[in-house]
Amino acid sequence: MESSTTHRGNRHGRSEEARRAVLEAADDLLAERGFAGVTIEGIAARAGVAKQTIYRWWPSKVDVLLEAFTEDMAEHLTPPDTGDLATDLRTHLANLAEFLTTSDPGAVFRALTGQAQHDPQLATRLRDDHLSAQRARDRLPLHRAIERGDLPADIDVDAALDHLLGPIHYRVLVTGTPVPRSFTDDLVAAFLHRHRPDSR
Amino acid sequence: MESSTTHRGNRHGRSEEARRAVLEAADDLLAERGFAGVTIEGIAARAGVAKQTIYRWWPSKVDVLLEAFTEDMAEHLTPPDTGDLATDLRTHLANLAEFLTTSDPGAVFRALTGQAQHDPQLATRLRDDHLSAQRARDRLPLHRAIERGDLPADIDVDAALDHLLGPIHYRVLVTGTPVPRSFTDDLVAAFLHRHRPDSR
Amino acid sequence: MESSTTHRGNRHGRSEEARRAVLEAADDLLAERGFAGVTIEGIAARAGVAKQTIYRWWPSKVDVLLEAFTEDMAEHLTPPDTGDLATDLRTHLANLAEFLTTSDPGAVFRALTGQAQHDPQLATRLRDDHLSAQRARDRLPLHRAIERGDLPADIDVDAALDHLLGPIHYRVLVTGTPVPRSFTDDLVAAFLHRHRPDSR
Amino acid sequence: MESSTTHRGNRHGRSEEARRAVLEAADDLLAERGFAGVTIEGIAARAGVAKQTIYRWWPSKVDVLLEAFTEDMAEHLTPPDTGDLATDLRTHLANLAEFLTTSDPGAVFRALTGQAQHDPQLATRLRDDHLSAQRARDRLPLHRAIERGDLPADIDVDAALDHLLGPIHYRVLVTGTPVPRSFTDDLVAAFLHRHRPDSR
DNA sequence: TGGTAATCGAGACGGTACGTCATGTCTTTGG
DNA sequence: CCAAAGACATGACGTACCGTCTCGATTACCA
């Protein structure tokens, strides 16, 4: 077992200790100095790790951030399942807004999404490895509602998600406007008004 | 007049020739090599200009891109005024989608927005100098409709814009999904369904 | 017995197989890529041996070369004993010239002597372990001649050797000039002219 | 004039100040820490100069040492011209011995000659640019003696020089034996005994 | 008409971070 | 116990740009 005993890297495999130190250092640096302040050199110095150890395991600094990001994401953004579509959506969207605007992994997400605008490979990886998984979680409340008969079966789920999630990301990434609970609740209201006009 | 005679920079003022060369070189480099390929050194070499000339007039490379961007933006994204809200919005949103996904200045916009995620100062400048102007243009169709009585006077215009524009930017910046005419038309349909339920 | 059975290193002692592989790899690398091309890493890779095995047995890469060198030296540079001083010296000096300029161990000698210029410890070891032994061999023809009465008993043997050997090393190490038979013969002639003026 | 005003490097040309600092730093490091202790990083740090400045002007660290060496050589090793061959040679050889064994540029010479054993390009450059010039100076006393009729016209000057200089270099580079005045005087005596047997 | 002042291209400078390489140490696995 | 494998911290390598600086030239303006 790798985790059964601490070791410092040998034939047994890589050092978990070094791995954790690198990921934490990267996260800290991003939080403290912003994306430009995250350098391989700096991560190495802060983590007490050799540069070569980083290059051995990660192709670039964005890969370090990507891995650091992965570990934190799922727990934050799994939508609830109360049996009530409106409640589920309101909670989930509020959680998303808070994640994006205030959490550390949210800051990493913004940084990576920003970098992805200049780096198509990163964009692809970000979408394939992370956003698609999140997207699947985002779909759950709608699918459950369809199964319950609370939403029409022919609804375009992906378009619906874009309508719900898009404005939040837009405020976070483009306009910089705060995303209060009233805004996310209103998104849910608009959605429900269109697809369940009778209910309200 | 500065433009009346070609000169190469002297007491008369700065060289318009050099300014144009710099802006074009920056644009070209962004298109050819991406944001990371845009360097002051590279712009200077390509424009046949001294580095100092760039530093004299622009604080950083993003300022060069910002200036290059400014010149192209307004013309592309001024919404039409046909007197019909639905038509105006459909056209405007389709134009926006095309601008963001296919045009050169759209690429510059994506790059700058990406960089703004790591650079709060750029974010502020981008919003204050450019997005607010664009936002004002975006509001026009809605204000005109309100004046015509085609929309209720108490509508939250900014929230409405976020609902209309957000999903498009979300697809462009985050998911990378194409933004076809059907998607933008559907956004308009959802908007009208909510705020003018009687018409259609 | 170590040699009776092949083993790969165990309680019976170190692996002769590994030792030979290391020495040969070092020699080969020196011949192929020069001194800078000899690295512990490279020797290990080429010999199919772990780096640690090299570090266990040799303090540094020059020690590997030194050991490789030791094995080849004595056989090449033992002066003949024909009973005639002139013949012995001419043959020995010609052998030395050929050894230094054309043989593989001669190349190792040049490399080690070069390295010794920046490494006093190596210089000392080279002199104590190898050059003094060679020096003793070099003295033999002169001592035999003295015993035969062919040279005066009060001759300064070491100075004489420096006069005979110095110009050859000088050409090899400093000027890079070839060292033909005529040159070595002339050295012998000068020596004999001084110390046995009657004989010629 | 470049030298008329101090500058820090610009279109005017390179900075003499930086050049001097680099050469001195290299010399100092060689003297203090030996050849292995001379690194580009170290020179840069000690000279208060950017690494790039060194790479801009010198292809490698040996080129720095080579240039540092050039400046000091000629003055030390120009043979005297007293009109007496024996005196000229004795003085010159004693100077050479002292230069090689005790002076700072002599240490640089030993280091470069050592490095030349692993670096054929350096060997060539060392010979073409420096040793040939020194060789020309070394020939002067012999040529003057020939013109005076103090040496036969058909003497092989180059071979004679190897006989005179070789043993000194041999002691310095190979055996590490001291080179006292008696040794150099004896070399001259042997030379004169052969080529001017009558004179003594 | 000739001095003054601002700009320009050019490019050297001190730096920072990059990504690669070899070093020598360490630990595990296995014969 | 020794060898192979290979991860590790260290630190020099040579490169690419950074942002600053000084130069010599050009070109208006203004006295």
Side-chain angles (χ1 to χ4, degrees):
Chain A
M1 283 298 146
E2 296 212 358
S3 53
S4 63
T5 136
T6 49
H7 57 85
R8 306 229 307 276
N10 46 35
R11 196 177 193 177
H12 203 48
R14 65 189 289 192
S15 161
E16 177 64 14
E17 194 179 344
R19 184 180 152 274
R20 297 294 328 157
V22 167
L23 296 183
E24 284 178 24
D27 254 355
D28 292 353
L29 284 172
L30 185 75
E32 288 177 18
R33 305 193 209 170
F35 185 81
V38 181
T39 66
I40 298 277
E41 210 99 16
I43 296 172
R46 185 176 194 120
V49 143
K51 277 200 303 176
Q52 187 55 40
T53 297
I54 301 181
Y55 284 113
R56 200 183 342 259
W57 300 111
W58 293 276
S60 75
K61 78 174 184 182
V62 300
D63 291 78
V64 178
L65 289 172
L66 211 49
E67 181 166 339
F69 175 56
T70 305
E71 311 218 326
D72 302 309
M73 193 173 181
E75 57 183 294
H76 286 81
L77 293 179
T78 298
D81 182 6
T82 64
D84 178 60
L85 177 59
T87 305
D88 287 359
L89 288 179
R90 281 195 204 98
T91 304
H92 188 47
L93 262 58
N95 284 346
L96 172 62
E98 191 182 350
F99 173 83
L100 290 178
T101 54
T102 68
S103 74
D104 268 8
V108 177
F109 170 83
R110 295 199 309 274
L112 289 172
T113 302
Q115 191 60 20
Q117 307 307 316
H118 332 125
D119 182 346
Q121 287 202 341
L122 169 60
T124 300
R125 208 135 38 96
L126 197 56
R127 284 158 192 162
D128 292 354
D129 297 358
H130 302 279
L131 299 184
S132 65
Q134 182 54 37
R135 190 80 174 182
R137 283 189 289 274
D138 293 335
R139 282 196 198 91
L140 290 177
L142 301 186
H143 281 305
R144 286 191 294 246
I146 292 169
E147 288 176 9
R148 286 193 306 263
D150 290 346
L151 279 179
D154 64 346
I155 190 175
D156 182 338
V157 171
D158 280 310
L161 284 178
D162 291 340
H163 290 211
L164 286 164
L165 307 175
I168 299 172
H169 287 86
Y170 177 58
R171 285 202 160 184
V172 169
L173 297 174
V174 180
T175 68
T177 321
V179 189
R181 180 82 196 210
S182 59
F183 185 77
T184 55
D185 283 354
D186 190 44
L187 281 167
V188 177
F191 172 78
L192 294 177
H193 178 262
R194 189 175 191 204
H195 296 287
R196 291 176 51 200
D198 48 326
S199 76
R200 288 199 143 241
Chain B
M1 279 297 140
E2 295 209 0
S3 53
S4 63
T5 138
T6 50
H7 56 85
R8 308 227 308 276
N10 47 34
R11 196 176 196 176
H12 203 49
R14 66 188 287 192
S15 162
E16 176 64 15
E17 193 179 344
R19 183 179 154 274
R20 298 296 327 160
V22 167
L23 297 182
E24 282 178 25
D27 254 354
D28 292 353
L29 284 173
L30 185 74
E32 288 177 20
R33 305 194 210 170
F35 186 81
V38 182
T39 65
I40 298 279
E41 210 99 16
I43 295 172
R46 185 175 192 121
V49 143
K51 278 201 302 177
Q52 186 57 38
T53 298
I54 301 181
Y55 284 110
R56 195 173 358 246
W57 299 110
W58 292 277
S60 75
K61 79 174 185 183
V62 301
D63 292 79
V64 178
L65 289 172
L66 215 47
E67 181 167 338
F69 173 57
T70 306
E71 311 216 327
D72 303 308
M73 193 172 181
E75 57 183 293
H76 286 81
L77 292 179
T78 298
D81 182 7
T82 64
D84 178 60
L85 177 59
T87 304
D88 286 0
L89 288 178
R90 282 195 204 98
T91 304
H92 187 47
L93 263 57
N95 285 346
L96 172 63
E98 191 183 350
F99 173 83
L100 289 177
T101 54
T102 67
S103 74
D104 267 9
V108 177
F109 171 82
R110 293 198 309 275
L112 289 172
T113 302
Q115 190 60 20
Q117 306 308 316
H118 334 124
D119 183 347
Q121 289 203 340
L122 169 60
T124 301
R125 206 136 38 96
L126 197 57
R127 284 159 191 161
D128 292 355
D129 298 358
H130 301 277
L131 298 184
S132 65
Q134 182 54 38
R135 190 80 174 183
R137 284 189 288 274
D138 294 333
R139 281 196 198 93
L140 289 177
L142 300 185
H143 282 305
R144 287 192 294 247
I146 292 168
E147 287 176 8
R148 284 195 306 264
D150 291 345
L151 278 179
D154 64 347
I155 191 175
D156 183 338
V157 171
D158 280 310
L161 284 178
D162 291 340
H163 290 211
L164 285 165
L165 306 175
I168 297 171
H169 287 85
Y170 177 58
R171 285 202 160 185
V172 169
L173 297 174
V174 181
T175 68
T177 321
V179 189
R181 179 81 195 212
S182 60
F183 185 78
T184 54
D185 282 355
D186 189 45
L187 281 168
V188 177
F191 172 79
L192 294 176
H193 177 262
R194 188 175 192 203
H195 296 287
R196 291 177 50 199
D198 48 327
S199 72
R200 314 209 128 235
Chain C
M1 283 298 143
E2 295 209 358
S3 53
S4 63
T5 138
T6 49
H7 59 84
R8 306 226 312 277
N10 47 33
R11 67 185 56 176
H12 304 301
R14 65 188 289 192
S15 161
E16 176 64 14
E17 192 180 345
R19 183 179 154 275
R20 297 295 326 159
V22 167
L23 297 183
E24 283 178 25
D27 254 354
D28 292 353
L29 284 173
L30 185 75
E32 287 177 19
R33 306 194 209 170
F35 185 81
V38 182
T39 65
I40 299 277
E41 212 100 14
I43 295 173
R46 184 176 193 120
V49 142
K51 278 199 303 176
Q52 187 55 38
T53 298
I54 302 180
Y55 284 110
R56 199 182 340 259
W57 299 109
W58 292 276
S60 76
K61 79 175 184 181
V62 299
D63 292 78
V64 178
L65 289 172
L66 213 49
E67 181 166 339
F69 174 56
T70 306
E71 311 216 327
D72 303 309
M73 194 174 180
E75 57 183 295
H76 286 80
L77 292 178
T78 298
D81 181 7
T82 64
D84 178 62
L85 177 60
T87 305
D88 287 359
L89 289 178
R90 283 196 203 97
T91 304
H92 187 48
L93 264 56
N95 285 346
L96 173 62
E98 191 182 349
F99 173 83
L100 289 177
T101 54
T102 68
S103 74
D104 267 10
V108 177
F109 170 82
R110 294 199 309 274
L112 289 172
T113 303
Q115 190 61 19
Q117 306 308 315
H118 338 123
D119 183 347
Q121 287 202 341
L122 170 61
T124 301
R125 206 136 39 96
L126 196 56
R127 284 159 191 161
D128 293 354
D129 298 359
H130 302 278
L131 298 184
S132 66
Q134 181 55 37
R135 190 81 174 181
R137 285 190 288 273
D138 294 334
R139 281 196 199 92
L140 291 177
L142 300 186
H143 281 306
R144 287 192 294 246
I146 292 168
E147 288 176 7
R148 286 193 305 261
D150 291 345
L151 279 178
D154 64 345
I155 190 173
D156 183 338
V157 172
D158 281 309
L161 285 178
D162 291 340
H163 290 212
L164 285 165
L165 307 175
I168 298 172
H169 287 85
Y170 177 58
R171 285 202 161 185
V172 169
L173 297 174
V174 181
T175 68
T177 321
V179 188
R181 181 81 195 212
S182 59
F183 185 78
T184 55
D185 282 355
D186 189 45
L187 282 167
V188 177
F191 172 78
L192 295 178
H193 177 262
R194 188 175 192 204
H195 297 286
R196 290 176 51 200
D198 47 327
S199 76
R200 290 197 142 238
Chain D
M1 280 298 144
E2 296 210 356
S3 52
S4 64
T5 135
T6 50
H7 57 85
R8 304 228 309 275
N10 45 36
R11 198 177 194 179
H12 204 50
R14 63 189 288 193
S15 162
E16 177 64 15
E17 193 179 344
R19 183 179 153 274
R20 297 294 329 158
V22 167
L23 296 182
E24 283 178 24
D27 254 355
D28 292 353
L29 285 172
L30 186 75
E32 289 177 17
R33 305 194 209 169
F35 186 81
V38 182
T39 65
I40 299 276
E41 321 260 324
I43 296 172
R46 184 176 194 120
V49 143
K51 275 200 305 176
Q52 186 54 37
T53 297
I54 301 180
Y55 285 113
R56 191 165 11 239
W57 298 111
W58 294 277
S60 74
K61 78 175 183 181
V62 300
D63 292 77
V64 179
L65 289 172
L66 214 48
E67 182 167 339
F69 174 56
T70 305
E71 311 216 327
D72 303 308
M73 194 175 181
E75 58 183 295
H76 286 81
L77 293 178
T78 297
D81 181 8
T82 64
D84 178 61
L85 177 59
T87 305
D88 287 0
L89 287 179
R90 281 193 204 100
T91 305
H92 187 48
L93 263 58
N95 285 345
L96 172 62
E98 190 182 350
F99 173 83
L100 290 178
T101 54
T102 68
S103 74
D104 268 8
V108 177
F109 170 83
R110 294 199 309 275
L112 289 172
T113 302
Q115 190 61 20
Q117 306 307 317
H118 335 124
D119 182 347
Q121 287 202 341
L122 169 61
T124 301
R125 208 136 40 96
L126 197 56
R127 285 158 190 160
D128 293 354
D129 298 358
H130 302 279
L131 299 183
S132 65
Q134 181 55 38
R135 190 81 174 182
R137 283 190 288 274
D138 293 334
R139 280 196 199 92
L140 290 177
L142 301 185
H143 281 305
R144 287 192 294 246
I146 292 169
E147 287 177 8
R148 285 194 304 263
D150 291 345
L151 279 178
D154 63 345
I155 191 174
D156 183 339
V157 171
D158 281 309
L161 284 178
D162 292 341
H163 290 210
L164 286 165
L165 307 174
I168 298 171
H169 287 85
Y170 176 60
R171 286 202 159 184
V172 169
L173 298 174
V174 181
T175 68
T177 321
V179 188
R181 180 81 196 210
S182 60
F183 185 78
T184 55
D185 283 354
D186 189 44
L187 282 167
V188 176
F191 171 77
L192 294 178
H193 177 261
R194 189 176 191 202
H195 296 286
R196 292 175 50 200
D198 48 326
S199 75
R200 291 201 138 238

